[in-house]
Amino acid sequence: MTPFLLVSRSAEYESRLRTMLGERLAVVAGEFLTFGTAAVVGRVDGTPRIAFLGPVLNYEETRGLVEELTAKHPDLGLVVVREQRSDLEDWVDELALHAVLSPNASDETTLELINRLSRWLISNGKAEERDFDEPPVREFETPEPIPASDEDLLLLEGDEDHETFDELTQAPPVQEWAFPPLEAGVSSDAFAVVAPKGGQGKTTIAINLATGLAEIAPNSVVLVDADLQFGDITAALALDPTRTIVDAVAAAAVDELVLKTALTHHEDGFFVVASAPSPELGDQVSAVALGTLIERLRHSFRYVIVDTTPGLGEHTLVALEHVTDAVFVTNMGVPGLRGMRKEFELLTALGLMPSNRHIVVNQTDKLSGLTMRDVENIIGAPVDVEVPRSSAVLLSSNRGVPLIHDDVRDPAAKAIRSLVLRIAPEAFPKRSRIQRRRRSNEPE
Ligand SMILES: Nc1ncnc2c1ncn2[C@@H]1O[C@H](COP(=O)(O)OP(=O)(O)O)[C@@H](O)[C@H]1O
Ligand SMILES: [Mg+2]
């Protein structure tokens, strides 16, 4: 019996949930969504009781799944696995969900949610106690151990079709990434990407800024996910980090060589300091430690880019103290624009406005009812870069590829590239650099 169903594009999340639920979990890979939601629903066997949708599914995909799954299984409990972003309210309002779970929630929290939801389904007559039972342990006959003879070993080693014993036991080669030391006289530029509210596009801008700058300074760019609670850079880049900012701040206190081991390399030529694996661990990173980390990274990297927590909390203020440039991101919503004006006023009053300021208005939309002049009047400063709303943004992050390399001609990609050029005029795109690449995880 498989009472639990997962539809997701994250192999990492799948294996986590598999560890918790064992054989009671059935999985349909999110890749089948390429063929439509019906293709996914058609692959679901039996009657699932609780379905987990996500992570790495977009709104349309999730909505399609919710509708089709509930049409077929009206009593199904529905959990969306997704970070708490500001646009989540729209999801919750419009979809018939039972719960939203962060992909970074601890096993304990996840199991508690499963427990609560299954009790609720049972008490409302939507499921029965036995639906959630552990499957009976299958009895296996213990196979006779095959005696290992010298002959067997020799055969294995001598047979060209087989990997040799040595090859099988050796760990895959670890790629070495050299940090080209900054030449004497070359200074490091550091950028804090900030926004008064969540969901404005900080992470999108930060990732693509890192990608663009890595074209001119390969492997000398580091992107720090300092959105300590809900950082999602590694999810948007389909990276699977073994170390996070928690290790990086500890390592920064030791030396640069140790710090290097806390970074995750991205194939487009930059490094990532991943966000904390859970909000609780994120809380352990102090603002002072974040400042020290940024300074340390500035010794080794030409460009340091820091994605931040929305608003001007302590950590973001400290980050701003340690950078040369601030990139302010807002969308066309009046609350965000007003919030940005307040941020300018506060930073100026505190003397914390970095030397260079770049104002990005993201998700611009002719239908917003505001002109760019209105926007400038509200924020009280000229806008430097306008990034149009584009579906290519979400597609690229679902694919785990930075937008400016995923869809070169997309208007939002072009606008973000103009931000890169504003910062580094030598980053003029060469054809060879920006050619769209097919990734190994991409469907043919
Ligand atoms: N220009 C854009 N057009 C369309 N969608 C966008 C654009 N910029 C960002 N988004 C989407 O908006 C959401 C929030 O963006 P994100 O970069 O994660 O914001 P933040 O880091 O400020 O919370 C994401 O789903 C992202 O794909
Ligand atoms: Mg973000």
Side-chain angles (χ1 to χ4, degrees):
M1 181 122 42
T2 49
F4 303 107
L5 168 70
L6 170 69
V7 183
S8 140
R9 286 199 180 85
S10 164
E12 187 196 350
Y13 194 74
E14 178 183 333
S15 74
R16 273 198 57 205
L17 214 55
R18 169 76 62 210
T19 314
M20 287 182 249
L21 300 172
E23 291 192 25
R24 293 185 297 162
L25 179 69
V27 177
V28 180
E31 279 71 22
F32 284 107
L33 284 165
T34 314
F35 309 106
T37 33
V40 171
V41 177
R43 303 186 83 84
V44 177
D45 289 331
T47 310
R49 301 296 171 185
I50 296 180
F52 297 86
L53 309 179
V56 209
L57 301 185
N58 68 25
Y59 178 78
E60 267 66 42
E61 291 167 341
T62 311
R63 190 185 58 195
L65 286 173
V66 168
E67 284 170 2
E68 294 204 29
L69 282 169
T70 37
K72 202 165 165 198
H73 308 285
D75 291 335
L76 184 67
L78 281 165
V79 180
V80 160
V81 184
R82 191 171 184 276
E83 289 90 7
Q84 312 267 329
R85 299 215 191 115
S86 58
D87 62 341
L88 196 65
E89 283 164 31
D90 303 339
W91 291 49
V92 176
D93 285 350
E94 287 167 29
L95 305 179
L97 307 175
H98 294 102
V100 178
L101 177 67
S102 162
N104 304 319
S106 65
D107 290 3
E108 201 183 357
T109 309
T110 307
L111 288 169
E112 191 192 293
L113 169 76
I114 292 171
N115 201 11
R116 272 173 38 198
L117 184 52
S118 44
R119 299 246 62 87
W120 182 84
L121 292 168
I122 294 166
S123 58
N124 285 276
K126 293 172 184 288
E128 286 182 47
E129 194 100 32
R130 61 187 163 89
D131 293 336
F132 296 99
D133 283 350
E134 300 278 348
V137 180
R138 271 183 260 157
E139 301 261 333
F140 289 109
E141 279 189 26
T142 324
E144 284 287 310
I146 303 163
S149 68
D150 285 354
E151 227 178 5
D152 290 337
L153 281 177
L154 278 174
L155 189 72
L156 192 64
E157 278 182 85
D159 188 340
E160 301 226 309
D161 287 345
H162 287 84
E163 288 158 296
T164 64
F165 185 69
D166 267 0
E167 276 165 347
L168 285 171
T169 49
Q170 255 164 25
V174 178
Q175 215 148 5
E176 269 296 317
W177 304 105
F179 287 175
L182 287 187
E183 288 163 36
V186 175
S187 63
S188 170
D189 291 333
F191 301 80
V193 184
V194 299
K197 292 169 84 234
Q200 311 280 297
K202 274 189 316 308
T203 301
T204 306
I205 300 290
I207 286 175
N208 286 285
L209 190 54
T211 307
L213 292 173
E215 290 172 1
I216 51 161
N219 294 330
S220 197
V221 176
V222 63
L223 172 59
V224 182
D225 195 341
D227 186 347
L228 295 165
Q229 301 290 313
F230 301 116
D232 51 4
I233 287 178
T234 52
L237 290 175
L239 290 173
D240 191 6
T242 48
R243 306 290 186 85
T244 70
I245 193 163
V246 180
D247 308 292
V249 294
V254 186
D255 69 18
E256 266 115 54
L257 261 176
V258 183
L259 177 54
K260 184 178 160 182
T261 64
L263 310 180
T264 307
H265 189 256
H266 187 277
E267 60 182 314
D268 288 359
F270 57 92
F271 290 83
V272 174
V273 175
S275 66
S278 71
E280 298 78 45
L281 286 169
D283 278 342
Q284 292 176 12
V285 176
S286 73
V288 174
L290 175 62
T292 309
L293 173 65
I294 296 172
E295 287 302 327
R296 279 285 188 170
L297 291 169
R298 289 186 66 184
H299 290 165
S300 306
F301 289 92
R302 174 71 184 85
Y303 295 107
V304 178
I305 294 142
V306 187
D307 189 8
T308 61
T309 308
L312 290 182
E314 195 192 355
H315 289 78
T316 304
L317 287 176
V318 169
L320 284 165
E321 262 186 299
H322 291 275
V323 296
T324 49
D325 295 52
V327 180
F328 289 91
V329 185
T330 176
N331 62 17
M332 301 273 277
V334 171
L337 297 169
R338 290 220 175 103
M340 185 171 283
R341 185 188 194 116
K342 284 200 195 119
E343 293 202 336
F344 291 163
E345 287 166 0
L346 183 72
L347 290 174
T348 311
L350 293 173
L352 283 180
M353 184 65 95
S355 324
N356 305 306
R357 182 183 72 180
H358 314 270
I359 298 180
V360 179
V361 177
N362 187 26
Q363 306 187 34
T364 59
D365 194 336
K366 294 253 158 17
L367 303 174
S368 74
L370 295 183
T371 63
M372 228 9 96
R373 174 162 296 201
D374 297 330
V375 166
E376 293 184 335
N377 281 338
I378 301 175
I379 59 182
V383 170
D384 298 308
V385 179
E386 294 171 33
V387 181
R389 181 185 293 282
S390 161
S391 56
V393 176
L394 190 62
L395 285 173
S396 73
S397 93
N398 282 348
R399 253 201 279 270
V401 180
L403 172 71
I404 62 167
H405 283 174
D406 189 44
D407 193 343
V408 181
R409 288 185 198 84
D410 174 69
K414 286 186 178 161
I416 298 181
R417 210 165 249 293
S418 74
L419 172 68
V420 178
L421 284 175
R422 182 184 152 82
I423 285 160
E426 68 274 33
F428 201 76
K430 290 209 182 93
R431 239 185 182 302
S432 60
R433 286 185 190 144
I434 58 170
Q435 254 173 18
R436 188 182 177 287
R437 268 165 267 167
R438 186 176 285 283
R439 301 300 158 103
S440 50
N441 59 353
E442 208 176 313
E444 290 289 321

